[in-house]
Amino acid sequence: MNQISLSTVILSSRSSLLALCISMLSIASSHAMNYDIDPTHTNVRFAIDHFKTSTNTGGFYNITGELDYDPAAKTGNISLVIPLNSLNTGNTAFDITLKSADFFDIEQFPLAQFESTKWHFTTDGSGSNVSKIDGMLTLHGKTNPITLTATKFNCYLSPILKKSVCGGDFTTTIDRRKWGISKYTLLGITEKVQLNIQIEAAKR
């Protein structure tokens, strides 16, 4: 085989490989990817005004769930299971109070859940970005709609996991009375609770 023929074969092989890669990427981008929530990088932190003097904060951890995401089709779905016994405010006595029947009543309602109903996207020069996620929050035996506002959301190839990872930060404010948690609202602890949610999920 002469040098010209060899070069032609190499170029043809490279072209075929490139075409195959493009085809695989096209197929991948046309379907939602499935991800598992990473409990070590997912949490729900809350902040509530305390008699108009200071802000009490805490969080829930060890969250599990699933994420489906297709940026090309601008669709997504997320479900979160939040174990309320993971509550941590940094104050053991306060944790016990919040876990009691006066507030979260974790013996009767050990879990909270969030299920998305609609994802919203914005489009700019960098492409389509997640802006908001509508969904239903089940807490204390009651289910009500909430909207999570994305402060950031991104996907990347994790150098540690060697797979795609998607995640972001979200915020919302809820009225705890809608979930039947109204203790001390008349005495000065506000009914408004700010939630800051960190979500990260690895490709299945």
Side-chain angles (χ1 to χ4, degrees):
M1 182 178 295
N2 59 39
Q3 186 175 358
I4 296 178
S5 299
L6 180 59
S7 299
T8 301
V9 170
I10 293 174
L11 288 174
S12 177
S13 298
R14 288 179 177 175
S15 297
S16 298
L17 180 60
L18 179 60
L20 178 61
C21 291
I22 292 174
S23 177
M24 291 176 67
L25 287 173
S26 177
I27 291 172
S29 64
S30 65
H31 296 84
M33 294 295 181
N34 304 118
Y35 300 79
D36 290 317
I37 296 297
D38 178 0
T40 64
H41 289 92
T42 302
N43 56 71
V44 177
R45 287 159 289 130
F46 63 85
I48 182 170
D49 182 75
H50 182 242
F51 297 106
K52 298 182 179 180
T53 58
S54 60
T55 301
N56 284 335
T57 62
F60 298 97
Y61 305 90
N62 303 319
I63 295 169
T64 58
E66 299 178 354
L67 168 68
D68 300 323
Y69 179 54
D70 187 343
K74 296 184 181 181
T75 59
N77 185 60
I78 189 169
S79 61
L80 300 174
V81 178
I82 306 162
L84 299 185
N85 193 46
S86 68
L87 185 150
N88 187 350
T89 64
N91 182 326
T92 301
F94 190 36
D95 292 348
I96 293 172
T97 298
L98 292 180
K99 293 176 182 180
S100 73
D102 285 341
F103 291 93
F104 291 109
D105 194 3
I106 68 168
E107 286 192 11
Q108 185 174 357
F109 307 107
L111 301 174
Q113 292 180 287
F114 176 78
E115 295 280 347
S116 67
T117 55
K118 184 177 181 179
W119 286 45
H120 300 266
F121 293 78
T122 59
T123 302
D124 56 25
S126 62
S128 298
N129 300 307
V130 178
S131 59
K132 295 187 300 182
I133 298 178
D134 297 331
M136 305 298 290
L137 174 64
T138 299
L139 173 67
H140 204 248
K142 298 181 183 296
T143 301
N144 290 291
I146 65 172
T147 296
L148 308 181
T149 299
T151 57
K152 60 180 177 179
F153 188 89
N154 187 42
C155 295
Y156 70 101
L157 180 61
S158 170
I160 298 174
L161 299 177
K162 310 299 184 185
K163 61 175 67 175
S164 176
V165 170
C166 291
D169 293 338
F170 298 84
T171 184
T172 190
T173 299
I174 65 172
D175 184 336
R176 61 190 175 100
R177 296 174 301 178
K178 292 183 178 180
W179 286 268
I181 306 175
S182 57
K183 189 75 172 179
Y184 298 138
T185 54
L186 297 179
L187 297 179
I189 298 182
T190 180
E191 68 278 5
K192 302 295 185 181
V193 181
Q194 181 182 342
L195 301 180
N196 295 299
I197 304 163
Q198 177 188 10
I199 296 170
E200 194 160 302
K203 185 179 177 183
R204 188 171 302 155

